[in-house]
Amino acid sequence: MSARVLVGVKRVIDYAVKIRVKPDHTGVVTDGVKHSMNPFCEIAVEEAVKLKEKKLVKEVVAVSCGPQQVQETIRTALAMGADRGIHVEVSGKDYETLGPLQVSKILAALAKKEQADLIILGKQAIDDDCNQTGQMTAALLDWPQGTFASEVNIEADKLKVVREVDGGLETIKIKLPAVVTADLRLNTPRYATLPNIMKAKKKKIANVKPADLGVDVSSRLEVLKVDEPPQRQGGVKVETVNDLVRKLKEAGRI
Amino acid sequence: MTLRLWHRQSLMTTQLAELPELHQMMRQTCRDYAQKELAPIAAQLDKDHKFPAKQVKELGAMGVMAVEVPESLGGAGMDYLAYCLAVEELSRGCASTGVIVSVNNSLYLGPILKFGTEEQKKQWITPFTTGERVGCFALSEPGNGSDAGAASTLAQQEGDEWVLSGTKAWITNCWDASATVVFATTDKSLKHKGISAFLVPMPHPGLSLGKKEDKLGIRASSTANIILEDCHIPLGNMLGERGMGFKIAMQTLDSGRLGIAAQALGIAQAALDCAADYAHKRTAFGAPIGKLQAIQFKLADMALAIESARLLTWRAAMLRDAKKPFTKEAAMAKLAASEAATFVSHQAIQVLGGMGYVTDMPAERHYRDARITEIYEGTSEIQRLVIANNILKEYQQ
């Protein structure tokens, strides 16, 4: 099988960190804060590596967009079993405003350049919760998409994807090339083994700029304000059902 | 000074200030594993005195059970600094798992890697890299611990076999082990120069295990006597040369004590984690107790003790990796780290107050786990003798 898989990995603030809003309310504090690979991206890498181990794909390429530090994230993907990495250099203000639309344009351009047959992404990032990049990438490439995947099987030139949807599980068959986004129950990501961490050091990470791919990363969105969620207010106890109905009417709820 | 030497020396200095990327990644993977897979079960493993077989296999698959063993023999092919980082992070999650990993790496695989023939390495190393099997190290006896030269376990040649007889005491891992490195004397009149090392599979006719010791701490790791009665092994099972046993034991322990230093650091760090977290949450006199100087001074002293011991441990490991003498530094590291572990875990209970004394919080387990680090693989007293001997040699008239 000559299939090449592109896996997007995003460097985000670690899930266990207590997030603090910057005093100027323009964003959250990222300096000196622990970062790691987005958990859904880990699941995406694991799925790609599993496909390679089953000999259903030939090469797994890990991609990340951002400043120098994202190379750590790419190396983690390499330590999990990806073959090589691509670091798309985006820094400064461009990085602060980088969002799903620009990333999906970058991924679409890379997919064409690398002649990828499959793109696997996490369903969403835990910092912005956008849940858009996979869908936009598929649309830009005019490829079919299997999002919220909890199971992926390759059958000849088609992909059978079981999707987790509100009503339950939906099974679809889509033609390759395609975009898949990983949901929580797709797999359990492996711990990087020591030999693989050693091997990762020798694997190549190519550097490329968005301009080289013909992508404009300027944003059309402006973040106006970032606030903490409002403090939870205490509730009120009422004695009778009539009191309850009255209170709800007063609050404009009914 | 050649450019290469300068580069290497500057690398070593930078390594002390900040670990290389490879080591950071490796440390992170062990920390993640310890946090997710070991810490949640450590209290129960301790209560049940249960060997973490599943976790040991998983660690084997990660390469952690044979960090220094070359890839050609099934190991991870990394250096000793990486190994010390691994043991510290794992011990932070579960001290018993830490010692299981350490004994397999340093005390069992270590001497075979250094003194074994190619054939012995294939037979006794490769099956013990995957976590499916672990090994142990049988030096101490009921009659001698620190006095290792007085070994009374006998090895007599009978035709094309060695016959071992005697009792070994305090053997970590033995109830879960598939092989052991045993030290026995082939000629008592030569005293420590008459001791040789042997490889014995487990189970084996003539080898039986004493009852599992009911220990204060590291209870998920089994400790017991190994009793050898008319135990026959092939001549080819001797490790190294005849009479080399004491040297093998001492060199093995030099490295092993870095593994124990790392374990002690992990225990100390876990105790500090517990105390510092509590200092934020517990309020008294109208504020979190972390605001009180008495608690702050404790936390500072605890952190200082750990960081100092950690740097000593890293330095000793790096000297060993650079193939430089490291005996003095290893003894210093083990001494500092084990005393840090007992100090920090003691203070952690103090910070927690009454909560430190009950099993609801892990502080009491850290206190119990820490205590052994000052005793095994060379008591604190022996470490002081080793350091003093080295100092006196340096100042030889």
Side-chain angles (χ1 to χ4, degrees):
Chain A
M1 236 246 155
S2 60
R4 177 174 292 139
V5 186
L6 219 63
V7 182
V9 295
K10 188 178 181 188
R11 180 174 181 266
V12 297
I13 295 178
D14 188 83
Y15 76 91
V17 169
K18 188 170 191 290
I19 310 288
R20 261 168 251 283
V21 174
K22 281 203 265 205
D24 61 5
H25 291 269
T26 56
V28 298
V29 177
T30 53
D31 273 344
V33 169
K34 179 164 186 245
H35 284 66
S36 34
M37 190 191 291
N38 181 40
F40 294 107
C41 298
E42 280 182 1
I43 298 174
V45 174
E46 175 66 25
E47 196 61 23
V49 173
K50 269 179 126 137
L51 288 173
K52 194 178 113 169
E53 284 170 348
K54 287 191 214 160
K55 302 222 194 313
L56 294 170
V57 304
K58 203 149 164 243
E59 198 188 25
V60 177
V61 183
V63 182
S64 194
C65 306
Q68 186 62 22
Q69 293 94 311
V70 308
Q71 295 217 356
E72 289 166 23
T73 314
I74 299 174
R75 250 184 238 294
T76 307
L78 296 175
M80 283 173 73
D83 297 293
R84 58 184 168 91
I86 300 176
H87 170 201
V88 182
E89 294 167 9
V90 181
S91 49
K93 201 80 185 74
D94 282 339
Y95 182 58
E96 283 173 37
T97 58
L98 193 68
L101 183 57
Q102 301 101 307
V103 174
S104 50
K105 285 181 183 169
I106 291 170
L107 290 176
L110 277 174
K112 288 199 190 109
K113 183 163 178 269
E114 296 289 332
Q115 295 177 305
D117 304 283
L118 178 60
I119 299 177
I120 309 182
L121 306 174
K123 71 169 180 183
Q124 66 196 58
I126 60 170
D127 51 7
D128 55 22
D129 283 332
C130 282
N131 185 354
Q132 297 170 354
T133 309
Q135 292 86 334
M136 285 177 170
T137 309
L140 287 168
L141 287 166
D142 199 26
W143 285 6
Q145 57 186 263
T147 55
F148 309 104
S150 65
E151 217 185 295
V152 174
N153 283 303
I154 297 187
E155 290 174 7
D157 64 336
K158 291 205 179 61
L159 221 58
K160 192 164 110 182
V161 182
V162 178
R163 307 179 56 229
E164 293 203 12
V165 296
D166 285 344
L169 297 173
E170 178 194 53
T171 308
I172 59 170
K173 243 192 190 154
I174 53 177
K175 266 177 140 175
L176 286 167
V179 176
V180 168
T181 71
D183 208 325
L184 193 63
R185 279 160 280 274
L186 180 58
N187 60 50
T188 308
R190 63 195 62 193
Y191 293 99
T193 67
L194 270 48
N196 280 342
I197 291 174
M198 294 268 284
K199 288 196 188 109
K201 212 179 177 201
K202 301 193 193 109
K203 293 179 183 173
K204 286 200 169 50
I205 300 179
N207 289 313
V208 73
K209 293 194 173 56
D212 300 338
L213 301 168
V215 175
D216 173 16
V217 289
S218 54
S219 178
R220 295 157 180 183
L221 299 174
E222 189 194 336
V223 171
L224 296 176
K225 198 168 181 235
V226 176
D227 273 324
E228 296 210 354
Q231 292 278 40
R232 202 189 145 100
Q233 299 296 327
V236 177
K237 271 193 179 152
V238 293
E239 295 290 305
T240 70
V241 175
N242 284 336
D243 284 340
L244 177 61
V245 171
R246 188 172 45 81
K247 283 251 178 228
L248 286 171
K249 276 194 177 145
E250 276 170 25
R253 299 294 191 206
I254 51 171
Chain B
M1 195 192 293
T2 65
L3 195 63
R4 224 194 197 167
L5 179 64
W6 173 87
H7 179 66
R8 227 247 293 262
Q9 286 190 344
S10 72
L11 251 181
M12 278 178 70
T13 334
T14 339
Q15 275 179 338
L16 257 180
E18 200 190 77
L19 294 168
E21 198 194 347
L22 199 71
H23 293 76
Q24 284 186 40
M25 284 179 73
M26 192 258 169
R27 194 185 197 193
Q28 192 59 50
T29 206
C30 290
R31 186 173 293 183
D32 287 341
Y33 186 85
Q35 244 174 34
K36 293 194 191 118
E37 313 285 344
L38 295 178
I41 60 168
Q44 197 59 45
L45 287 175
D46 170 75
K47 251 198 202 114
D48 298 338
H49 296 238
K50 186 167 173 249
F51 180 78
K54 173 169 177 276
Q55 287 70 25
V56 168
K57 285 203 190 95
E58 287 168 357
L59 289 169
M62 283 166 72
V64 173
M65 293 306 286
V67 180
E68 235 196 345
V69 172
E71 282 190 72
S72 55
L73 287 168
M78 292 185 88
D79 59 21
Y80 219 66
L81 178 61
Y83 162 66
C84 289
L85 292 166
V87 173
E88 182 187 336
E89 293 302 329
L90 296 175
S91 303
R92 192 180 181 181
C94 172
S96 302
T97 308
V99 78
I100 292 166
V101 170
S102 177
V103 167
N104 196 58
N105 270 281
S106 293
L107 299 188
Y108 174 71
L109 294 172
I112 305 173
L113 203 58
K114 197 160 183 205
F115 298 98
T117 62
E118 288 314 305
E119 205 38 60
Q120 284 174 332
K121 286 181 196 172
K122 279 201 207 95
Q123 192 188 342
W124 301 90
I125 290 186
T126 308
F128 292 79
T129 59
T130 60
E132 296 280 329
R133 289 170 203 243
V134 297
C136 60
F137 179 84
L139 175 66
S140 292
E141 296 173 356
N144 53 271
S146 296
D147 190 9
S152 62
T153 303
L154 291 171
Q156 287 162 311
Q157 190 169 347
E158 271 178 29
D160 60 350
E161 286 183 323
W162 287 108
V163 183
L164 305 175
S165 57
T167 310
K168 292 298 187 182
W170 310 120
I171 311 307
T172 305
N173 279 357
C174 72
W175 270 88
D176 309 287
S178 302
T180 177
V181 177
V182 182
F183 295 85
T185 180
T186 39
D187 191 339
K188 239 190 164 237
S189 65
L190 293 175
K191 298 207 184 133
H192 66 274
K193 294 217 172 103
I195 299 173
S196 307
F198 301 89
L199 297 163
V200 186
M202 292 163 77
H204 193 69
L207 188 152
S208 59
L209 300 174
K211 71 158 177 44
K212 265 195 223 184
E213 302 291 351
D214 187 8
K215 306 191 292 291
L216 177 65
I218 55 159
R219 300 215 280 222
S221 145
S222 58
T223 309
N225 286 1
I226 289 181
I227 301 141
L228 301 156
E229 287 171 300
D230 201 34
C231 179
H232 291 244
I233 50 171
L235 280 182
N237 281 30
M238 177 177 274
L239 181 67
E241 306 285 307
R242 186 175 177 143
M244 222 186 193
F246 188 77
K247 179 175 140 190
I248 294 176
M250 291 305 110
Q251 286 191 21
T252 303
L253 288 170
D254 265 352
S255 298
R257 55 192 50 142
L258 284 177
I260 297 305
Q263 184 206 18
L265 288 173
I267 297 170
Q269 187 64 52
L272 177 60
D273 293 343
C274 184
D277 187 62
Y278 196 77
H280 270 302
K281 293 185 175 145
R282 170 72 176 178
T283 54
F285 302 99
I289 59 172
K291 296 267 183 218
L292 300 166
Q293 282 190 341
I295 300 296
Q296 290 182 355
F297 288 166
K298 282 191 203 297
L299 295 175
D301 289 337
M302 288 156 81
L304 174 61
I306 299 174
E307 197 60 33
S308 316
R310 184 176 286 136
L311 289 176
L312 271 171
T313 308
W314 288 5
R315 179 150 181 274
M318 293 192 308
L319 285 169
R320 186 185 181 283
D321 286 333
K323 303 216 194 309
K324 294 212 156 111
F326 70 102
T327 305
K328 180 184 78 171
E329 288 78 6
M332 287 176 148
K334 201 263 186 184
L335 180 60
S338 54
E339 291 191 344
T342 47
F343 167 70
V344 173
S345 55
H346 179 109
Q347 290 302 324
I349 293 188
Q350 201 64 17
V351 170
L352 265 60
M355 278 311 283
Y357 204 64
V358 294
T359 55
D360 303 45
M361 296 291 269
E364 60 82 28
R365 188 180 80 245
H366 301 321
Y367 184 74
R368 290 186 289 106
D369 285 339
R371 195 58 190 87
I372 189 64
T373 62
E374 284 201 57
I375 297 172
Y376 61 10
E377 282 192 53
T379 59
S380 296
E381 290 70 29
I382 291 289
Q383 304 307 336
R384 287 185 162 90
L385 291 180
V386 170
I387 297 167
N389 280 330
N390 274 278
I391 302 282
L392 287 169
K393 241 188 266 177
E394 284 168 27
Y395 285 86
Q396 194 87 54
Q397 300 299 314

